[in-house]
Amino acid sequence: MSDQYDPQQIEPKWQAAWEKQGLHRTREEPGRPKFYCLEMFPYPSGDVHVGHVRNYTIGDLVARYHRMRGFNVLYPMGFDAFGQPAEGAAVKRNTHPAAWTYECIERMRKQFHRLGNSYDWDREVVTCDPEYYRWNQWLFLKFLERGLAYRAKAPVNWCPACEFVLSDEEAQGGKCWRCDGPVTKEDREQWWFKITDYADRLLDDLEQLAEWPERVRVMQANWIGRSEGVEFELEVSGSEEKIRVFTTRIDTIFGVTYVVLAPEHELVDRLVTDDGLRRKVEAYRAEVAVKTNVERMAEEAKGGLRLAVEAINPANGQPVPIFIADYVLLGYGTGAIMAVPAHDQRDFEFAHAHGLPVRVVIQPQGEPLDPATMESAHVGEGVQVNSGEFDGLPNTAAQTKIAEWLEARGVGRRRINYRLRDWLVSRQRYWGTPIPIVYCDKCGIAPVPESDLPVVLPPDLPYTATGSILPQAESFVNTACPKCGAPARRETDTMAQWIESCWYFLRYADPHNEEMPFSREAADRWLPVDQYIGGIEHAVLHLLYSRFFTRVLYDLRLIGFEEPFSRLFTQGMLLKDGATMSKSRGNVVGPDEVIDEFGADALRTYILFISPPEQEADWRQGGIEGICRFLNRAWRAVAGQADIFNREWRGSVAEAQGAAAISLRRKTHQTVSRVTHDIDRWHFNTAVSAMMELANAMTEANAGGVRGEMVAAYSEACESLALLLAPFAPHLAEELWERLGNTVSVHLAEWPRWEEALTREEEVTVVIQVNGKLRDRLNVVRGTPREELRRLALDSSRVKAHVEGKSVRNVVVVPDRLVNIVAG
Ligand SMILES: [Zn+2]
Ligand SMILES: [Zn+2]
């Protein structure tokens, strides 16, 4: 046995032993409280760096800690294996997406293994496996039965660079989530999920997610974007046409001085009859077409074109000009707005650029507004003016009154608007779950019967194209109609890979079920996930989609809960030299190279030590070297003293009353308490610092050899340190544990406890004198600094009584003993 700490020797040894023992297999222990710990499963891209390792390390720590705390833990892992990057990689390497994907999965499994993560691999889920995606298809059919999946032609987001349709969530801010390039709109017939049916539930239930980061909840709420307002129509003078608008500020309707349509609005062509103007409209549209929505929203609202017709404000009958302008977007609301320059900043800017009137209808208390001198719109509260019968009302009350008035006149109606749109789920790609639909000339859309699932991707296609090759796969496309038996064509669209990740966490609860995607019993036993860990970038993608899916499954009575993830943690990014790690920057640190040099335990402990886990942190070579020194010190303090270790320390430790023994015991109990509290509040970095202090104290204590009553105190410290290290450096902890004579894994041991009395600092009595006479006594922690003692002494009411009316000339402090105040 080597006496040096050698991670290259002990890590593979314990990984093999744990696997042989089946140590990480989930035990079904209904008597214990369950704890489901999950990291967002990775996309098998084949290039994991230490930044990714961060959330897997946090997850493994949380899982191991909860096992030791007596929980029945489920901690699985799998791969989100479908998706476009596999196609790109396959084309580049002249291979098949499946071959490339499984190769990457194999590589990543090995990496997880080398990291020592305690996943239950018996429950692994690989989403491109037909045994998994058959249930994806089954669930699609359930959505279809419930009217939650439908096919329709609509403008969709299209990324020209990726040659890919995108859901709204994948095209946030008009940018492709994958390549960051601009997104255009195209009319295409596609499959959609009716997520809008769930808008209210998804929004209202955010309140229950108290243990989610506030940021994520706000992002989801904004994305769903519920707004209450009034929808009404403005007549166009001399025309049968009407302009429909939606406003959340109906209290400002008397202040409308113009109306704007998005340049692409379908009404525009009907409102423009003059050829000269038509040419100008076309030219303006061409100018706008090259801008992204983001640019249109970000620019100052200036550009626009006045049409030759006017709209009638239904509140006061006044005609107002109609413009087209790019600051109004077709995809938002009705694609038309009532413009109120006095009370909306963008309208204010536009009115100034075009010399349009500003009409104040809400007067703030105490500071009357003059349109001639206003420098910006007044968007706050106030009292109605220039608003007919509503003058004098607070604008908040006018909101309701004016809405009722318009409704009574049949001009408008109150409604709730959502920003959320239905979810575009079909993709014209090969590497995804085939949508289980057949098109028949006679029967139309025919679902594939459940008994015919899975519809398997043809595996033997020569993979060369960047677009989907499925439409060319005749053996796949040509089939018989499941309804009438006539020749028919299969759907060649596949599902967006987000669908597979909407329910994979349920499959882990029952991964080998061949009758159902999962049994309700298993799902209700293990879920919701108690701790979910992953990136903030999924806030309105995976996390929103999964919440939607879970609600549908609840409505289908397949599960008994509506929220999939009780607690969510989003880790901070790990940077290298202040920048995100990326291949193009050439600053990627791979886990294998770090493990080769320092070992997995050092890598893990360093990642946990580098900063609080929610914060960004910079990877430094010097940092991991410091961690290695700590692990070496822990090794020497425990393994190096294994021959003096006494397993029976519990019987005699209470009798050890000497100062050195008490001091070491105090450090041990303080460390157990600190590490426990720090893990509970997710301060893993300070937990590591606490263990460093204990290792240092042990090193000091054993400097001259450990004898007599110190043996028990030292043995207690050895055992505690090995146990505390277990979630951080699992291999080292296991090796130390074995060297302390244990035959059962440290990872099956109970988390250590501490005695509260022993965590308290030692107190000393300090005597307080005034002019040499004893006036008070103070009990303070040993080692209290001079300044603090001086302050405490002068604050004492007994001292004050004797110093009253005199001036303090000098204060003499002897730490831990005495304070003498010279006054006169
Ligand atoms: Zn793109
Ligand atoms: Zn048919």
Side-chain angles (χ1 to χ4, degrees):
M1 240 192 276
S2 160
D3 278 317
Q4 299 293 313
Y5 169 48
D6 181 4
Q8 308 306 341
Q9 191 258 324
I10 62 171
E11 291 180 0
K13 167 186 146 187
W14 285 113
Q15 284 157 11
W18 294 335
E19 188 160 299
K20 201 166 155 225
Q21 293 166 32
L23 188 69
H24 303 145
R25 209 168 295 140
T26 315
R27 289 160 188 78
E28 295 278 354
E29 298 165 305
R32 293 178 177 228
K34 67 97 181 172
F35 188 85
Y36 186 174
C37 181
L38 188 65
E39 298 127 28
M40 290 181 188
F41 65 166
Y43 183 79
S45 62
D47 55 353
V48 173
H49 59 63
V50 290
H52 301 122
V53 172
R54 192 177 202 186
N55 61 331
Y56 307 128
T57 301
I58 294 169
D60 191 56
L61 173 133
V62 170
R64 287 181 184 277
Y65 173 68
H66 279 85
R67 286 192 199 103
M68 292 177 81
R69 291 298 297 264
F71 287 86
N72 186 190
V73 172
L74 173 60
Y75 183 49
M77 181 41 82
F79 296 94
D80 190 9
F82 271 139
Q84 194 267 338
E87 297 193 5
V91 170
K92 222 162 95 187
R93 292 169 176 77
N94 196 22
T95 174
H96 192 279
W100 184 80
T101 301
Y102 278 103
E103 218 181 279
C104 291
I105 289 176
E106 197 41 49
R107 198 154 62 231
M108 286 180 76
R109 269 198 210 113
K110 281 201 184 110
Q111 279 176 324
F112 284 129
H113 197 73
R114 286 196 78 193
L115 285 165
N117 278 33
S118 59
Y119 299 125
D120 178 358
W121 287 105
D122 286 355
R123 293 179 183 244
E124 181 186 17
V125 159
V126 177
T127 59
C128 65
D129 181 345
E131 273 314 298
Y132 182 80
Y133 71 67
R134 71 176 291 187
W135 299 115
N136 229 27
Q137 295 171 337
W138 187 86
L139 289 166
F140 185 95
L141 296 176
K142 297 288 163 207
F143 274 57
L144 194 69
E145 276 169 28
R146 273 187 95 83
L148 291 169
Y150 66 94
R151 191 164 170 81
K153 189 169 183 173
V156 301
N157 304 296
W158 171 256
C159 175
C162 298
E163 296 180 42
F164 210 83
V165 299
L166 300 164
S167 68
D168 282 354
E169 290 77 18
E170 289 170 317
Q172 288 169 47
K175 281 188 190 169
C176 170
W177 77 287
R178 199 183 289 287
C179 74
D180 239 21
V183 166
T184 60
K185 288 268 183 189
E186 296 209 350
D187 263 359
R188 283 165 181 259
E189 189 161 303
Q190 299 286 328
W191 285 96
W192 307 81
F193 276 175
K194 254 186 152 178
I195 192 172
T196 51
D197 274 11
Y198 286 75
D200 278 323
R201 280 162 76 184
L202 288 169
L203 184 67
D204 295 342
D205 296 350
L206 284 173
E207 275 174 34
Q208 295 168 22
L209 298 176
E211 301 202 57
W212 277 41
E214 176 70 13
R215 241 171 101 199
V216 176
R217 285 186 289 152
V218 168
M219 283 164 84
Q220 289 205 359
N222 289 343
W223 187 256
I224 295 164
R226 176 161 65 191
S227 55
E228 292 178 24
V230 176
E231 189 178 274
F232 65 92
E233 289 178 331
L234 297 98
E235 290 179 5
V236 177
S237 57
S239 155
E240 292 293 293
E241 304 290 354
K242 286 181 175 156
I243 299 172
R244 203 157 53 87
V245 299
F246 173 81
T247 179
T248 57
R249 290 298 305 273
I250 198 67
D251 53 325
T252 65
I253 190 170
F254 287 90
V256 173
T257 57
Y258 63 98
V259 167
V260 189
L261 300 175
E264 309 89 337
H265 199 293
E266 43 130 21
L267 253 184
V268 176
D269 287 329
R270 299 207 293 276
L271 294 180
V272 176
T273 46
D274 172 79
D275 277 350
L277 185 59
R278 189 181 303 275
R279 275 193 297 276
K280 283 188 190 163
V281 167
E282 291 308 328
Y284 183 64
R285 281 177 171 170
E287 204 181 294
V288 171
V290 298
K291 293 187 192 172
T292 65
N293 284 357
V294 184
E295 287 167 343
R296 286 170 63 170
M297 294 305 289
E299 285 171 8
E300 217 185 312
K302 264 194 205 151
L305 187 67
R306 185 171 177 159
L307 304 186
V309 281
E310 289 180 320
I312 310 297
N313 182 345
N316 55 15
Q318 280 184 3
V320 291
I322 302 173
F323 282 78
I324 57 171
D326 62 353
Y327 80 95
V328 174
L329 301 176
L330 192 61
Y332 292 83
T334 60
I337 62 154
M338 63 170 219
V340 187
H343 305 293
D344 179 280
Q345 187 55 28
R346 294 182 69 78
D347 297 346
F348 185 83
E349 290 163 13
F350 188 87
H352 272 257
H354 292 263
L356 295 161
V358 175
R359 186 181 158 93
V360 173
V361 292
I362 292 164
Q363 205 53 274
Q365 209 78 47
E367 37 176 331
L369 294 173
D370 176 1
T373 57
M374 281 171 78
E375 284 180 1
S376 62
H378 171 68
V379 295
E381 295 187 352
V383 173
Q384 299 289 137
V385 292
N386 298 324
S387 299
E389 62 190 86
F390 304 100
D391 281 357
L393 278 180
N395 75 302
T396 43
Q399 285 269 19
T400 318
K401 295 278 183 210
I402 295 176
E404 286 168 354
W405 177 66
L406 291 174
E407 276 177 345
R409 291 169 52 206
V411 175
R413 62 189 181 97
R414 269 173 286 196
R415 55 168 293 175
I416 295 169
N417 246 15
Y418 298 90
R419 195 172 174 276
L420 184 69
R421 296 280 172 270
D422 277 343
W423 174 16
L424 168 60
V425 295
S426 49
R427 295 291 181 272
Q428 292 71 55
R429 287 284 167 173
Y430 165 76
W431 193 234
T433 301
I435 293 177
I437 293 292
V438 169
Y439 296 103
C440 168
D441 285 340
K442 227 166 64 197
C443 314
I445 292 178
V448 173
E450 280 178 26
S451 55
D452 289 354
L453 298 181
V455 176
V456 180
L457 276 178
D460 48 355
L461 291 178
Y463 198 83
T464 53
T466 49
S468 178
I469 43 170
L470 273 182
Q472 294 138 51
E474 285 185 16
S475 63
F476 176 80
V477 175
N478 296 323
T479 184
C481 170
K483 283 185 183 159
C484 73
R489 288 167 300 110
R490 262 188 211 291
E491 172 65 87
T492 56
D493 283 358
T494 54
M495 298 185 206
Q497 88 277 15
W498 302 110
I499 299 179
E500 285 106 51
S501 55
C502 272
W503 67 279
Y504 76 106
F505 41 87
L506 286 153
R507 183 69 178 173
Y508 284 137
D510 194 10
H512 308 295
N513 196 327
E514 290 177 6
E515 310 296 320
M516 288 285 280
F518 46 82
S519 76
R520 173 157 181 173
E521 191 197 352
D524 287 352
R525 151 124 176 82
W526 283 111
L527 283 104
V529 172
D530 295 279
Q531 181 65 60
Y532 201 30
I533 302 167
I536 185 93
E537 69 274 15
H538 291 290
V540 292
L541 284 157
H542 164 61
L543 290 168
L544 183 67
Y545 294 152
S546 299
R547 293 185 62 228
F548 160 58
F549 232 78
T550 307
R551 277 166 180 74
V552 176
L553 300 179
Y554 173 83
D555 291 349
L556 287 164
R557 297 178 169 279
L558 291 169
I559 53 176
F561 52 91
E562 293 189 66
E563 283 295 346
F565 316 119
S566 305
R567 206 172 309 136
L568 172 69
F569 178 80
T570 53
Q571 77 279 1
M573 217 153 14
L574 217 49
L575 310 173
K576 180 76 180 25
D577 309 317
T580 327
M581 290 186 203
S582 75
K583 266 190 187 159
S584 55
R585 282 201 186 84
N587 65 349
V588 171
V589 181
D592 285 326
E593 51 185 282
V594 179
I595 294 173
D596 286 345
E597 192 173 354
F598 302 103
D601 282 341
L603 170 60
R604 296 169 54 107
T605 310
Y606 177 52
I607 282 177
L608 295 164
F609 179 64
I610 193 166
S611 79
E614 70 281 4
Q615 286 176 20
E616 257 181 19
D618 205 29
W619 179 273
R620 286 181 305 109
Q621 183 81 4
I624 195 163
E625 285 165 4
I627 287 295
C628 284
R629 284 193 292 276
F630 156 57
L631 297 181
N632 266 297
R633 186 165 299 149
W635 173 271
R636 288 193 302 271
V638 181
Q641 304 292 327
D643 52 339
I644 62 108
F645 177 78
N646 181 358
R647 286 179 64 80
E648 310 303 324
W649 60 267
R650 273 188 186 77
S652 55
V653 76
E655 286 139 43
Q657 289 297 329
I662 291 286
S663 168
L664 181 61
R665 290 205 72 204
R666 180 172 295 120
K667 193 76 206 167
T668 300
H669 284 257
Q670 284 173 344
T671 306
V672 173
S673 163
R674 272 177 66 187
V675 171
T676 307
H677 287 123
D678 283 349
I679 293 179
D680 285 341
R681 58 191 185 121
W682 288 59
H683 288 200
F684 311 133
N685 53 329
T686 52
V688 175
S689 307
M691 289 188 284
M692 287 173 170
E693 283 180 32
L694 178 58
N696 291 346
M698 291 169 74
T699 307
E700 270 172 42
N702 70 32
V706 178
R707 281 172 230 94
E709 62 166 21
M710 272 301 277
V711 169
Y714 198 86
S715 299
E716 178 183 43
C718 285
E719 202 173 288
S720 302
L721 185 57
L723 288 165
L724 294 176
L725 276 169
F728 295 82
H731 313 85
L732 169 61
E734 189 77 305
E735 179 73 22
L736 296 178
W737 193 244
E738 187 191 50
R739 289 185 181 217
L740 295 179
N742 295 288
T743 49
V744 178
S745 171
V746 71
H747 302 293
L748 295 175
E750 233 183 86
W751 188 250
R753 296 163 197 274
W754 67 91
E755 284 174 42
E756 201 59 52
L758 272 169
T759 65
R760 279 184 221 120
E761 287 296 339
E762 189 189 353
E763 289 195 339
V764 289
T765 302
V766 173
V767 169
I768 314 291
Q769 298 173 336
V770 177
N771 295 332
K773 285 197 179 119
L774 175 67
R775 296 302 182 195
D776 199 1
R777 283 190 173 87
L778 288 176
N779 288 329
V780 297
V781 170
R782 181 185 286 282
T784 300
R786 284 169 188 275
E787 265 315 296
E788 178 69 3
L789 287 175
R790 182 190 147 98
R791 193 186 62 74
L792 290 170
L794 291 170
D795 272 1
S796 151
S797 54
R798 293 194 195 170
V799 168
K800 277 180 180 160
H802 290 93
V803 177
E804 186 106 62
K806 299 174 188 164
S807 61
V808 174
R809 298 217 179 112
N810 194 15
V811 181
V812 180
V813 180
V814 183
D816 297 338
R817 304 257 316 266
L818 166 149
V819 178
N820 185 27
I821 296 161
V822 184

